[in-house]
Structures are given as C-alpha cells and as structure tokens.
Amino acid sequence: MFIYAVSSVRPLEYVILQYINDRETQTTALLVSDEAVQSYKTVDEAVQTDEEPKRKLRLAEDTSGQLANFLRRTEPYIIKQLTNNLRSRAFDGYDVDLEDDSTSVTSLHTLTYPSLQDKFQVTSLSWNSTGSVIGASYGQQEHEDWCTHRSVMCTWNLDRTGIVADKPDSKIEVDSCLMYIAFHPKNPAIVAGGSFNGEVLLWDLSREDDMLIATSGLGQDSHQEPVTKVYWITDAKGKKIYLVSASGDGKIIQWKIDRKAQKLLPKEGFMVMTQSLPRQMKVKGVRGDREIGVTCLSYHSEDRETFIVGSETGVIFKCSMYSQGPPAGSHIVSSIPLRSPVTFTYNPHHGPVYAVECSPFHRNAFVSASMDQCIRLYSLLQAQPVLTIEPGEGYVHSATWSPVKATVIAATTQSGNLLIYDLKQGKTVPVHNIPASSNKEPVYACQFNPQQTHLLATGDGKGRVQIFKLSSKLQQVSGKETEFLGNLVNVTAE
Amino acid sequence: MSEVEETIKRIQSHKGVSGIIIVNADGIPIRTTLDNSTTVQYSGLIHQLAAKAKSTVRDLDPQNDLTFLRIRSKKHEIMVAPDNEYLLIVIQNPNAV
C-alpha cells in the first residue's frame, strides 16, 4: 500500500487496485442467519421422535409351520408361571446390593464465584438436560426499593476433568438480582431466568457473543413484582415446549418466543386472586379480585394441564390451564386476558409456601415446604395434608422429590442442613441430615440431577454451591416404592 | 394363523405382561408385541443366554435338558420357554399394581 507515494509507478497502481477489489469480494456473508435457523432445533427434535415407528422391523417368516403346536404346548405352562409370579411372596424384602455399598452422602465439590464476595446468596439452581452442567443464579434477599445490584448467573461443567471450584465455566451478567433459572428440558444450552425487576430472560449458552436471545422487557405485559419461578412445560401432545413464569404480582404467564424480535410475548395468562382463598382466610373489606403473590408452582407429571401453585399467603391451589375462572379485576392492565386458574384449594400452611413439587412417580402426591417450618405431603384429591413433617430446623426453603426413588424427598432448611427423607424408612426422622453450608447459613436451593442420579446440588446464603454424591441406597429402586407412596396418599373415605 | 395370534393376545393381556417375543432357531424374531429396537435387543441377547443355559445343563448331565429359564431383575422378570425350533420370551412386571 506504500506504493501510492511513488507517483511514477502509476500503471502498477491500477493493477494493485484490482487486487484490492478482488479481496473485497472474498469476504463471505455473515453466518448469523444460519444460527437463527439452528435455533429452531427445539421443534425439530420433536419431529425426530416421530420418525422411529416408520422403520419397519423385518420379522422372519415361520418356515417349519410348527408355531401353533409350539404355542399350544408352552402356553399353559407360561400362564401358570405368570399367575404364580403375581401371587408369589418369595422375593418380598429381598434386596441385592451388588454395587459398592456407600451408605453416606459425601460432598464432592464446593463451587464459588469469588467476585461476588459473599454478598450474594444462591437463589436457585438448575441442572441442564444432559446432567453435566449446573447453573446457579445469585441475588440478594434484602431490597429496600428497586433492585440496582449487578448480579450474575454462573455455570460449571462437572464432566470436565479440570474443574476449578472457583472459576465458573461461563458467567452471564444481569443488571438486577436473578431470582430463578431453569434449563431447557431438551436443549442443553438454553436457559431461562426471572429477575427481581419482573423481567423474564432467555439465554443461549452456545453462542459466542451475546448470549441473551429474548427478553420480556419491563412493560405492562411483564411482571410487576419479582419473578419467583420460571418453568418449562410440554404441551398435551408432548411436542412443543413452552416457558411459563410466576411472580409475586399474582400473574402466571405462558410465553411465546419471538426469536427475530428477541422478545418474549405473552401467550396466555392467569391471575391468582383473593376470591380463591378459603373462607377463614378472607379479610372483610378486601375486594375479591386482589392479586395473591405466587411463590412457587409445579406442573403435574402426567396430566399436562393441571398445576399446583403455592402462594405468599400459605395457601396451595390446584389450577388448570383450561379453567374458565373469573377474569382479573379491571385495575390490571394487560394485553392478554387474565383469568383465575384455581379449581381447588388445599389446607394452608401457616406461612408463605417456598416450594411445591408434584411427584414424578405417583399421580396424586405432591410435597410442599414452607416458612412455617414444616414439610407437608398432600394428596391431589383432598384438602387435608396426608403427612406433616416438622424437622425443627427453622424455615424449610425447598423440598424436592428424587427422580429415581419414589419415596425419597430432599429438603433444605434455614439452619444450613440438607435433610433427606425416605418415607419407607421413617416418616419423621430423616435418613440423612448433613450440613450443607459453611457456618449455618440458610440453604435456599436444592436440586437432584435427573441424568446422573447420584448427584445432588445445594446452594446457600453465602453464594456457595455444594455438589453431593448420594449413597447407593438412595438410588436403588425395588419397584415397590410407588406402591408404598400410593398407599400413603390414598384417600380413605371415613 | 389366527390360533397363533389369539394365543399371543391371551398371554399379552395377562396381568403385568409388558411384552412377548417369539424367536426362531436362528435368533431372528418372528412375532413380537414390543417396538423394534427392544425386540432386536431382547431376541439377540436372550437367544445367546438360552443357548448357554442349555449347554450348561447338558454339560452337567447329558441326559438332562433345559425346560425353562427365568431371569428376575429389579424391575421385571423375563421368562424363556425353549424348544428345538422356537424360543418364547415373556416379560412380566410382577409388581404391577
């Protein structure tokens, strides 16, 4: 390019210019548009599961023609064995322990993010769909006014050999406290989060630059109070996956993701109102359409339209996506119609409900944890709880079912302990009671790893995430647990 | 033909039965009530196991022969009825409520 200064070499200049022109045409188009196409993978995955039945299994032809005789001979014997098996008590209580017998729960890793300087606490944890990445959201509990903290979401990949306990694999900065995060159930890189300011955000961790792919913004359609929970649900046919968020303003909104505009648009919404409260809790003079803050929600494992909602008032509601409840009051401004989803009300806790979860094994059981220091097991069909467990360790901040063993519940308390209950072995005393934080800090979040079932993560008030390895007893399934849970939860007509 | 289908249906509708596979002498399934990948897996593995069990019994006592094979696992029980030309595999969950 320095040739320009030598004016006597003019003809050469033109040649060089031509070179430059060529180079310019060599730049290729940006690949960003391709990435947008890839983001539709979530739909493709659903389609792929449908293709399997089309492949036909080529069964061999029966050449000897003796099949009927063979079946005639063996059928009576087989039927006799089948009936014997159902009645047999030979294997009752016979449990084989073939794996190495570890009876204790040990802590594997303690993950921290030092830049937070212990000022932030872990508000929620989530494992991704492959079970190899744990994500933690951080926030502060004390806010006087609008949130002005700059918080982060950190993820660690536990399958990497060189895992460094105080260096997260990825950090996403958020400009307010993050209250809840949830990884997508199929795509291991997509994660949704709810912030203190009422915003619902969606990130894609596989992107190099800006990981934020959609946000609900801070307008009338988003939440007006901190988002308490975000949840991914599959629709009735099991094909599409939607994002639902719940918040202290009583709204439960189902979102539609608009990738191009990078916005989350509300698709359907519900509002939990005071008219759904049980009679003894209603306050005279308060209108029926005042909103009740939603603190947690859980969708039913089999019935896609039923969900359980826990509220700040301590009341637990059973709700339905298709309910035609009364609409929200006229003081609520929203672009989509909001109505009450409540179909049934359960006997309330004496304090805000911090967690509810429907059992993944039995269609009628769900567990709830509350500030009134107890854990309750409810049947979906009756208002009174079936079982109340009082650990006596302060507020119970979270309770969750084990994804492998139907009678195991893990709970975390204000006194910094992780309690693991096995209902088959004792309904009041936990099988494990382990300190999960350094100096009696309350433990706010706890999540089982659905893929690698020996792992459990907890997060405490100083921002530390602990990964525990569960004992082999907690993962051994004997097949009778679902029956045991069913017997516990069965409503007896008395 | 229909007698075969009726028998299979009768066994399949028995309480707790998850599936039934009939395999020929070469280990290739000729009838099944399960999906493709499961059938292929079961027929290959059980065929080999039944052959090994049969040879074990005969090695221990040449005048003896295998009449029935049952494999009980945590989740279910696999019952195998062997024959010269066929193998009947029935999978049952004895804890079925």
Side-chain angles (χ1 to χ4, degrees):
Chain A
M1 308 313 115
F2 298 104
I3 301 166
Y4 286 115
V6 184
S7 56
S8 62
V9 200
R10 271 194 171 269
L12 270 171
E13 244 181 71
Y14 295 129
V15 174
I16 292 164
L17 272 171
Q18 277 170 9
Y19 268 104
I20 294 169
N21 281 337
D22 281 331
R23 288 219 178 101
E24 279 180 48
T25 55
Q26 277 173 16
T27 53
T28 51
L30 290 167
L31 290 167
V32 175
S33 52
D34 282 336
E35 280 190 38
V37 172
Q38 280 175 15
S39 62
Y40 284 108
K41 248 189 216 163
T42 45
V43 179
D44 280 346
E45 281 185 34
V47 172
Q48 276 173 18
T49 51
D50 273 341
E51 281 177 28
E52 245 208 31
K54 288 188 196 153
R55 268 187 282 120
K56 284 206 154 131
L57 170 67
R58 307 209 50 269
L59 295 171
E61 281 300 311
D62 170 33
T63 47
S64 69
Q66 296 295 315
L67 186 57
N69 287 340
F70 166 64
L71 281 176
R72 213 177 296 133
R73 267 181 283 130
T74 49
E75 192 208 347
Y77 192 61
I78 283 271
I79 297 280
K80 194 172 113 190
Q81 294 302 321
L82 288 170
T83 30
N84 274 350
N85 261 350
L86 291 169
R87 277 188 266 120
S88 157
R89 301 182 63 85
F91 289 98
D92 274 359
Y94 175 64
D95 272 327
V96 181
D97 240 347
L98 290 169
E99 293 139 24
D100 72 21
D101 201 8
S102 61
T103 47
S104 61
V105 176
T106 49
S107 170
L108 282 181
H109 306 284
T110 304
L111 308 166
T112 56
Y113 184 40
S115 322
L116 293 174
Q117 290 166 346
D118 289 356
K119 280 193 244 147
F120 285 81
Q121 67 194 43
V122 176
T123 47
S124 83
L125 293 168
S126 179
W127 292 96
N128 77 341
S129 61
T130 58
S132 48
V133 175
I134 176 88
S137 65
Y138 296 89
Q140 292 200 12
Q141 287 287 16
E142 276 107 46
H143 288 99
E144 284 170 2
D145 193 356
W146 205 244
C147 177
T148 48
H149 304 119
R150 288 201 64 90
S151 157
V152 284
M153 181 188 92
C154 296
T155 64
W156 284 267
N157 188 332
L158 297 175
D159 286 343
R160 292 218 185 126
T161 46
I163 177 176
V164 183
D166 53 2
K167 273 193 80 184
D169 291 322
S170 71
K171 308 178 268 290
I172 298 178
E173 299 212 338
V174 192
D175 51 7
S176 73
C177 290
L178 254 191
M179 302 307 290
Y180 204 87
I181 51 164
F183 270 97
H184 192 275
K186 294 254 165 65
N187 188 328
I190 304 259
V191 57
S195 79
F196 190 85
N197 295 338
E199 212 180 334
V200 178
L201 307 135
L202 193 65
W203 294 282
D204 183 348
L205 297 175
S206 60
R207 293 178 86 162
E208 291 287 328
D209 44 4
D210 184 18
M211 296 193 197
L212 184 67
I213 49 176
T215 165
S216 69
L218 287 171
Q220 292 284 11
D221 281 335
S222 68
H223 294 288
Q224 261 69 49
E225 295 266 329
V227 177
T228 47
K229 188 134 180 177
V230 288
Y231 207 90
W232 292 97
I233 54 162
T234 23
D235 76 349
K237 297 189 206 118
K239 287 199 187 224
K240 286 193 169 211
I241 300 180
Y242 294 110
L243 183 61
V244 169
S245 67
S247 151
D249 65 358
K251 283 195 220 167
I252 300 168
I253 305 181
Q254 184 180 342
W255 300 92
K256 196 167 52 189
I257 303 170
D258 185 349
R259 296 265 181 167
K260 288 230 166 74
Q262 293 206 323
K263 281 194 85 58
L264 288 172
L265 302 164
K267 183 172 174 281
E268 225 185 295
F270 301 98
M271 169 82 79
V272 181
M273 295 177 279
T274 47
Q275 62 200 219
S276 313
L277 286 176
R279 204 175 302 127
Q280 65 266 29
M281 287 187 75
K282 286 193 182 163
V283 179
K284 268 200 172 150
V286 176
R287 289 167 49 176
D289 57 1
R290 289 286 157 211
E291 50 278 10
I292 301 176
V294 174
T295 49
C296 46
L297 75 95
S298 167
Y299 271 77
H300 195 267
S301 46
E302 286 169 33
D303 185 4
R304 299 270 169 228
E305 57 171 75
T306 307
F307 57 101
I308 307 285
V309 163
S311 66
E312 286 172 355
T313 57
V315 187
I316 303 175
F317 303 99
K318 176 163 108 159
C319 306
S320 163
M321 301 279 280
Y322 299 131
S323 81
Q324 297 296 322
S330 49
H331 59 280
I332 308 287
V333 180
S334 165
S335 61
I336 46 159
L338 296 172
R339 54 186 198 282
S340 167
V342 178
T343 54
F344 188 70
T345 312
Y346 296 94
N347 206 13
H349 276 277
H350 303 293
V353 182
Y354 283 141
V356 278
E357 192 167 321
C358 292
S359 166
F361 289 96
H362 197 278
R363 52 195 320 272
N364 278 345
F366 69 91
V367 70
S368 69
S370 147
M371 200 180 99
D372 67 351
Q373 305 185 23
C374 59
I375 303 165
R376 289 191 188 184
L377 176 66
Y378 283 87
S379 159
L380 226 71
L381 307 170
Q382 76 173 13
Q384 292 284 1
V386 170
L387 182 63
T388 305
I389 306 172
E390 285 177 52
E393 302 217 6
Y395 310 152
V396 184
H397 284 286
S398 79
T400 172
W401 292 99
S402 158
V404 286
K405 206 159 170 178
T407 48
V408 171
I409 301 172
T412 60
T413 65
Q414 187 194 15
S415 58
N417 287 336
L418 167 67
L419 307 167
I420 302 182
Y421 288 88
D422 185 349
L423 298 173
K424 214 165 161 206
Q425 294 189 2
K427 300 196 184 99
T428 46
V429 180
V431 286
H432 292 284
N433 184 337
I434 309 134
S437 72
S438 42
N439 39 350
K440 308 262 187 219
E441 285 287 327
V443 183
Y444 291 104
C446 123
Q447 287 284 351
F448 280 96
N449 186 332
Q451 301 293 343
Q452 300 191 37
T453 52
H454 59 281
L455 295 178
L456 172 73
T458 59
D460 74 358
K462 280 269 190 250
R464 293 160 44 143
V465 177
Q466 281 211 316
I467 312 285
F468 289 94
K469 177 168 176 287
L470 298 173
S471 66
S472 47
K473 269 201 182 306
L474 289 174
Q475 298 163 60
Q476 276 164 8
V477 181
S478 76
K480 299 246 188 242
E481 278 99 15
T482 313
E483 207 184 316
F484 184 86
L485 188 61
N487 286 340
L488 256 189
V489 168
N490 263 343
V491 179
T492 48
E494 278 180 30
Chain B
M1 178 61 184
S2 64
E3 189 197 334
V4 168
E5 307 299 341
E6 269 178 38
T7 315
I8 294 178
K9 221 193 302 185
R10 250 202 309 272
I11 303 177
Q12 174 71 36
S13 58
H14 200 276
K15 190 169 173 209
V17 174
S18 340
I20 154 172
I21 306 169
I22 303 179
V23 174
N24 71 0
D26 299 326
I28 304 171
I30 50 177
R31 293 279 195 279
T32 175
T33 62
L34 295 167
D35 62 271
N36 302 343
S37 47
T38 317
T39 303
V40 167
Q41 248 190 326
Y42 267 101
S43 51
L45 294 168
I46 302 285
H47 178 74
Q48 288 177 33
L49 187 62
K52 183 75 180 177
K54 184 173 178 133
S55 70
T56 307
V57 170
R58 298 201 69 151
D59 281 351
L60 290 171
D61 179 7
Q63 279 153 2
N64 204 352
D65 201 357
L66 178 71
T67 53
F68 204 74
L69 176 63
R70 287 163 80 161
I71 304 160
R72 191 165 180 118
S73 68
K74 277 190 208 162
K75 294 189 189 167
H76 41 237
E77 174 154 341
I78 305 167
M79 281 173 273
V80 184
D83 186 71
N84 276 334
E85 291 145 22
Y86 305 103
L87 205 66
L88 170 66
I89 305 168
V90 178
I91 302 138
Q92 183 196 28
N93 178 6
N95 300 324
V97 176

